[in-house]
Structure formats: C-alpha cells, structure tokens
Amino acid sequence: SQQGEEDPQALSIQEGENATMNCSYKTSINNLQWYRQNSGRGLVHLILIRSNEREKHSGRLRVTLDTSKKSSSLLITASRAADTASYFCATVDAQAGTALIFGKGTTLSVSS
Amino acid sequence: GAGVSQSPRYKVAKRGQDVALRCDPISGHVSLFWYQQALGQGPEFLTYFQNEAQLDKSGLPSDRFFAERPEGSVSTLKIQRTQQEDSAVYLCASSLRRGGNTGELFFGEGSRLTVL
C-alpha cells in the first residue's frame, strides 16, 4: 500500500522554469521526506520537514507542509536539465508505522 | 563502505528458480529496509530490521519471500520459486536511527530481477 500520492504524475518544463510537485498522505505523521531517483538508480534524500514546521528551504528546493490538509509541496526553482528525475514523498505513520512509505512519484523532465 | 552496496545489480532467473539478493548497508547503521519497486511505481515496503531483529515483515508478498540479517550488518533477501510477477527492482536502504522516525534513508542502487 502507498501512503502518499504525488501530483502531477508527470511534468515537463523548460530550463529556468520552476517545478511544483504536490503530495497528499493519509495518516498522522511526525515528518515528511522528499526523495529523488534518477533513472535506473537508487533514491537520494532531498529534504525532511517535521510536522511542526510549515516551510523549509534547501538550496533551490522549497518544501511546504499543511498537516490540516495532509499535503505537502516541493518547489524546485530555476530548474536545470540535471533535475530530470522522479520525485517521491514519503512518510511514516506516526501511530503504527516502522517504515517510510512512498508515493507513486512525479516524473519531472527538464529540457534545455 | 561509503554507501549502501547491493549485489547483483542485475539478475535474470527462470520461473521457479530461487534467487538471493545481498545488501551491505553503511557501517554502523542500525536500521535496514527492503523495498520492491515495479516499473513506473514508487518503492513498496517489504521488511525492516533493527540490528539482527526482523521487526516488521508485513510487506512481504508471500511466504516465498524471506529476509535475514544474522549479524546485524549484511542482509539477504531470498525469493523462492520465482514467478514473473516478482520481476522488479529490489532496493535496500539503511539508517543510523531506529525505525519509526528513522530520518534519512540511504539507498543502494538496487537489484533488478527479471523472471522469464
């Protein structure tokens, strides 16, 4: 089963544009994480936002979290061709979970 | 090692064969996870170890799947009598902290299993 659902499933933009991906989840959480996966590779952690935080920045990444709506967004500013990858949100059920549960991901394609 | 290492990277098996996939986590990492990722999908949780103890195996799809981590470091995921629906990438991840709020997971490159 998958806890998170990313939206859109696929996104195509030009270099220099911003990319926004959304994630919805189902249960109460302690934190939410975003990961990136290049084609044929493992996942790489991007950023973690705690349930008591509303916004967090890391370089060109900006993450927001709305626990009342059980949703998060990942914004990549000034995108580059190298940002082409799949992006996943992941959470742990605060009540019962032991493992990160991932969504289906958003596939981002940045063309130069 | 510097990162999580998985082997083999690619495995082709005939239906009915047994396969074993190995994961070498980052030294000192307490938590180890196995995930299964079908093409175009997100990783699906299989099982979780805290040191040598398998604390959660709720994601294992059938009793043909078995995982172990006998000394609390290297882990092996074994699939018996493979079937075509087992074709997927198997990802291993480790974390310094205990499960639940494990913080950042470090993933290996995965083992791609193709069952013919």
Side-chain angles (χ1 to χ4, degrees):
Chain A
S1 63
Q2 294 185 295
Q3 161 80 302
E5 291 290 336
E6 288 89 346
D7 168 60
Q9 286 190 324
L11 181 59
S12 293
I13 59 174
Q14 298 285 321
E15 260 192 332
E17 293 181 337
N18 296 341
T20 299
M21 289 159 263
N22 302 297
C23 166
S24 60
Y25 58 92
K26 299 173 185 173
T27 67
S28 60
I29 61 171
N30 292 317
N31 63 62
L32 183 143
Q33 302 182 39
W34 284 90
Y35 285 78
R36 165 196 168 121
Q37 184 178 37
N38 286 68
S39 181
R41 309 297 296 273
L43 281 79
V44 175
H45 180 265
L46 293 176
I47 195 166
L48 180 154
I49 184 166
R50 302 191 188 287
S51 58
N52 61 354
E53 298 176 306
R54 291 296 166 258
E55 187 171 311
K56 195 165 182 179
H57 296 253
S58 177
R60 293 184 296 113
L61 304 180
R62 173 182 166 242
V63 171
T64 63
L65 179 64
D66 186 336
T67 53
S68 66
K69 295 181 180 178
K70 291 187 167 55
S71 68
S72 174
S73 68
L74 171 68
L75 169 67
I76 304 174
T77 60
S79 62
R80 307 165 181 168
D83 294 328
T84 295
S86 293
Y87 293 82
F88 298 92
C89 67
T91 59
V92 178
D93 183 336
Q95 301 301 320
T98 56
L100 271 179
I101 303 300
F102 289 82
K104 294 184 178 180
T106 291
T107 299
L108 173 65
S109 177
V110 182
S111 52
S112 54
Chain B
V4 178
S5 178
Q6 291 189 246
S7 61
R9 285 294 315 277
Y10 303 93
K11 175 71 179 177
V12 177
K14 292 183 180 177
R15 189 160 55 95
Q17 269 186 326
D18 298 348
V19 299
L21 308 176
R22 176 189 168 107
C23 173
D24 212 326
I26 294 172
S27 178
H29 276 199
V30 169
S31 295
L32 186 145
F33 301 84
W34 283 98
Y35 288 86
Q36 179 190 60
Q37 186 176 26
L39 190 64
Q41 300 294 313
E44 294 254 7
F45 169 72
L46 293 177
T47 187
Y48 160 63
F49 289 87
Q50 180 178 306
N51 295 309
E52 70 278 3
Q54 189 175 21
L55 297 187
D56 188 344
K57 52 182 181 180
S58 61
L60 295 176
S62 77
D63 58 7
R64 296 186 296 105
F65 286 71
F66 170 77
E68 60 182 5
R69 193 186 184 199
E71 296 177 0
S73 55
V74 170
S75 176
T76 303
L77 176 67
K78 297 178 179 178
I79 309 173
Q80 297 176 324
R81 303 181 304 281
T82 52
Q83 300 177 5
Q84 285 187 320
E85 60 261 32
D86 299 334
S87 295
V89 175
Y90 291 86
L91 294 165
C92 175
S94 69
S95 173
L96 190 58
R97 294 161 61 183
R98 291 182 173 80
N101 288 298
T102 51
E104 177 181 356
L105 292 190
F106 295 83
F107 279 82
E109 299 281 87
S111 292
R112 180 179 296 277
L113 172 65
T114 302
V115 181
L116 302 176

PDB file of all heavy atoms in Angstrom, chain B residues 32-45:
ATOM      1  N   LEU B  32      17.671  -1.374   8.700  1.00  0.00           N
ATOM      2  CA  LEU B  32      17.823  -1.814   7.315  1.00  0.00           C
ATOM      3  C   LEU B  32      16.447  -2.156   6.778  1.00  0.00           C
ATOM      4  O   LEU B  32      15.664  -2.845   7.435  1.00  0.00           O
ATOM      5  CB  LEU B  32      18.762  -3.033   7.227  1.00  0.00           C
ATOM      6  CG  LEU B  32      19.115  -3.515   5.805  1.00  0.00           C
ATOM      7  CD1 LEU B  32      20.554  -4.039   5.757  1.00  0.00           C
ATOM      8  CD2 LEU B  32      18.137  -4.553   5.315  1.00  0.00           C
ATOM      9  N   PHE B  33      16.165  -1.665   5.582  1.00  0.00           N
ATOM     10  CA  PHE B  33      14.863  -1.848   4.953  1.00  0.00           C
ATOM     11  C   PHE B  33      15.044  -2.473   3.573  1.00  0.00           C
ATOM     12  O   PHE B  33      15.998  -2.166   2.860  1.00  0.00           O
ATOM     13  CB  PHE B  33      14.161  -0.486   4.773  1.00  0.00           C
ATOM     14  CG  PHE B  33      13.946   0.276   6.045  1.00  0.00           C
ATOM     15  CD1 PHE B  33      14.943   1.066   6.575  1.00  0.00           C
ATOM     16  CD2 PHE B  33      12.731   0.218   6.704  1.00  0.00           C
ATOM     17  CE1 PHE B  33      14.756   1.783   7.742  1.00  0.00           C
ATOM     18  CE2 PHE B  33      12.518   0.935   7.881  1.00  0.00           C
ATOM     19  CZ  PHE B  33      13.538   1.716   8.397  1.00  0.00           C
ATOM     20  N   TRP B  34      14.078  -3.273   3.192  1.00  0.00           N
ATOM     21  CA  TRP B  34      13.972  -3.765   1.817  1.00  0.00           C
ATOM     22  C   TRP B  34      12.682  -3.217   1.210  1.00  0.00           C
ATOM     23  O   TRP B  34      11.625  -3.235   1.854  1.00  0.00           O
ATOM     24  CB  TRP B  34      13.939  -5.287   1.760  1.00  0.00           C
ATOM     25  CG  TRP B  34      15.260  -5.954   1.951  1.00  0.00           C
ATOM     26  CD1 TRP B  34      15.753  -6.499   3.098  1.00  0.00           C
ATOM     27  CD2 TRP B  34      16.258  -6.186   0.952  1.00  0.00           C
ATOM     28  NE1 TRP B  34      16.996  -7.049   2.878  1.00  0.00           N
ATOM     29  CE2 TRP B  34      17.326  -6.876   1.567  1.00  0.00           C
ATOM     30  CE3 TRP B  34      16.364  -5.882  -0.407  1.00  0.00           C
ATOM     31  CZ2 TRP B  34      18.482  -7.266   0.879  1.00  0.00           C
ATOM     32  CZ3 TRP B  34      17.505  -6.259  -1.097  1.00  0.00           C
ATOM     33  CH2 TRP B  34      18.547  -6.938  -0.461  1.00  0.00           C
ATOM     34  N   TYR B  35      12.803  -2.762  -0.036  1.00  0.00           N
ATOM     35  CA  TYR B  35      11.664  -2.278  -0.797  1.00  0.00           C
ATOM     36  C   TYR B  35      11.641  -2.966  -2.156  1.00  0.00           C
ATOM     37  O   TYR B  35      12.681  -3.347  -2.688  1.00  0.00           O
ATOM     38  CB  TYR B  35      11.758  -0.757  -1.029  1.00  0.00           C
ATOM     39  CG  TYR B  35      11.514   0.087   0.200  1.00  0.00           C
ATOM     40  CD1 TYR B  35      12.546   0.375   1.082  1.00  0.00           C
ATOM     41  CD2 TYR B  35      10.253   0.610   0.467  1.00  0.00           C
ATOM     42  CE1 TYR B  35      12.326   1.164   2.206  1.00  0.00           C
ATOM     43  CE2 TYR B  35      10.018   1.398   1.581  1.00  0.00           C
ATOM     44  CZ  TYR B  35      11.058   1.675   2.443  1.00  0.00           C
ATOM     45  OH  TYR B  35      10.837   2.455   3.569  1.00  0.00           O
ATOM     46  N   GLN B  36      10.450  -3.065  -2.711  1.00  0.00           N
ATOM     47  CA  GLN B  36      10.267  -3.594  -4.064  1.00  0.00           C
ATOM     48  C   GLN B  36       9.705  -2.464  -4.923  1.00  0.00           C
ATOM     49  O   GLN B  36       8.742  -1.793  -4.517  1.00  0.00           O
ATOM     50  CB  GLN B  36       9.278  -4.770  -4.037  1.00  0.00           C
ATOM     51  CG  GLN B  36       8.999  -5.385  -5.390  1.00  0.00           C
ATOM     52  CD  GLN B  36       7.837  -6.380  -5.322  1.00  0.00           C
ATOM     53  OE1 GLN B  36       6.733  -6.012  -4.957  1.00  0.00           O
ATOM     54  NE2 GLN B  36       8.103  -7.642  -5.658  1.00  0.00           N
ATOM     55  N   GLN B  37      10.304  -2.248  -6.083  1.00  0.00           N
ATOM     56  CA  GLN B  37       9.840  -1.166  -6.942  1.00  0.00           C
ATOM     57  C   GLN B  37       9.525  -1.703  -8.331  1.00  0.00           C
ATOM     58  O   GLN B  37      10.437  -2.111  -9.060  1.00  0.00           O
ATOM     59  CB  GLN B  37      10.867  -0.043  -7.022  1.00  0.00           C
ATOM     60  CG  GLN B  37      10.361   1.184  -7.785  1.00  0.00           C
ATOM     61  CD  GLN B  37      11.343   2.331  -7.774  1.00  0.00           C
ATOM     62  OE1 GLN B  37      12.548   2.145  -7.649  1.00  0.00           O
ATOM     63  NE2 GLN B  37      10.826   3.564  -7.890  1.00  0.00           N
ATOM     64  N   ALA B  38       8.260  -1.708  -8.681  1.00  0.00           N
ATOM     65  CA  ALA B  38       7.852  -2.086 -10.033  1.00  0.00           C
ATOM     66  C   ALA B  38       8.077  -0.897 -10.960  1.00  0.00           C
ATOM     67  O   ALA B  38       8.166   0.251 -10.526  1.00  0.00           O
ATOM     68  CB  ALA B  38       6.392  -2.504 -10.031  1.00  0.00           C
ATOM     69  N   LEU B  39       8.143  -1.184 -12.240  1.00  0.00           N
ATOM     70  CA  LEU B  39       8.429  -0.156 -13.240  1.00  0.00           C
ATOM     71  C   LEU B  39       7.388   0.961 -13.171  1.00  0.00           C
ATOM     72  O   LEU B  39       6.181   0.706 -13.193  1.00  0.00           O
ATOM     73  CB  LEU B  39       8.438  -0.793 -14.630  1.00  0.00           C
ATOM     74  CG  LEU B  39       8.941   0.080 -15.769  1.00  0.00           C
ATOM     75  CD1 LEU B  39      10.418   0.415 -15.550  1.00  0.00           C
ATOM     76  CD2 LEU B  39       8.761  -0.628 -17.112  1.00  0.00           C
ATOM     77  N   GLY B  40       7.859   2.186 -13.042  1.00  0.00           N
ATOM     78  CA  GLY B  40       6.961   3.337 -13.034  1.00  0.00           C
ATOM     79  C   GLY B  40       6.212   3.564 -11.737  1.00  0.00           C
ATOM     80  O   GLY B  40       5.328   4.425 -11.670  1.00  0.00           O
ATOM     81  N   GLN B  41       6.558   2.802 -10.700  1.00  0.00           N
ATOM     82  CA  GLN B  41       5.874   2.916  -9.415  1.00  0.00           C
ATOM     83  C   GLN B  41       6.842   3.388  -8.330  1.00  0.00           C
ATOM     84  O   GLN B  41       8.057   3.414  -8.534  1.00  0.00           O
ATOM     85  CB  GLN B  41       5.278   1.572  -9.006  1.00  0.00           C
ATOM     86  CG  GLN B  41       4.265   1.023  -9.991  1.00  0.00           C
ATOM     87  CD  GLN B  41       3.024   1.867 -10.072  1.00  0.00           C
ATOM     88  OE1 GLN B  41       2.455   2.263  -9.065  1.00  0.00           O
ATOM     89  NE2 GLN B  41       2.610   2.189 -11.282  1.00  0.00           N
ATOM     90  N   GLY B  42       6.290   3.733  -7.186  1.00  0.00           N
ATOM     91  CA  GLY B  42       7.139   4.063  -6.058  1.00  0.00           C
ATOM     92  C   GLY B  42       7.576   2.808  -5.332  1.00  0.00           C
ATOM     93  O   GLY B  42       7.017   1.726  -5.543  1.00  0.00           O
ATOM     94  N   PRO B  43       8.600   2.897  -4.493  1.00  0.00           N
ATOM     95  CA  PRO B  43       9.043   1.737  -3.729  1.00  0.00           C
ATOM     96  C   PRO B  43       7.960   1.267  -2.764  1.00  0.00           C
ATOM     97  O   PRO B  43       7.329   2.075  -2.087  1.00  0.00           O
ATOM     98  CB  PRO B  43      10.259   2.266  -2.959  1.00  0.00           C
ATOM     99  CG  PRO B  43      10.685   3.501  -3.685  1.00  0.00           C
ATOM    100  CD  PRO B  43       9.449   4.085  -4.252  1.00  0.00           C
ATOM    101  N   GLU B  44       7.770  -0.051  -2.709  1.00  0.00           N
ATOM    102  CA  GLU B  44       6.807  -0.648  -1.777  1.00  0.00           C
ATOM    103  C   GLU B  44       7.589  -1.357  -0.674  1.00  0.00           C
ATOM    104  O   GLU B  44       8.468  -2.176  -0.943  1.00  0.00           O
ATOM    105  CB  GLU B  44       5.925  -1.654  -2.516  1.00  0.00           C
ATOM    106  CG  GLU B  44       5.027  -1.032  -3.551  1.00  0.00           C
ATOM    107  CD  GLU B  44       3.568  -0.977  -3.115  1.00  0.00           C
ATOM    108  OE1 GLU B  44       3.277  -1.312  -1.938  1.00  0.00           O
ATOM    109  OE2 GLU B  44       2.725  -0.602  -3.923  1.00  0.00           O
ATOM    110  N   PHE B  45       7.230  -1.062   0.572  1.00  0.00           N
ATOM    111  CA  PHE B  45       7.920  -1.628   1.722  1.00  0.00           C
ATOM    112  C   PHE B  45       7.758  -3.145   1.780  1.00  0.00           C
ATOM    113  O   PHE B  45       6.653  -3.678   1.595  1.00  0.00           O
ATOM    114  CB  PHE B  45       7.357  -1.001   2.995  1.00  0.00           C
ATOM    115  CG  PHE B  45       7.792  -1.680   4.257  1.00  0.00           C
ATOM    116  CD1 PHE B  45       9.100  -1.552   4.716  1.00  0.00           C
ATOM    117  CD2 PHE B  45       6.917  -2.456   4.983  1.00  0.00           C
ATOM    118  CE1 PHE B  45       9.508  -2.169   5.886  1.00  0.00           C
ATOM    119  CE2 PHE B  45       7.313  -3.080   6.159  1.00  0.00           C
ATOM    120  CZ  PHE B  45       8.611  -2.942   6.604  1.00  0.00           C
TER     121      PHE B  45
END
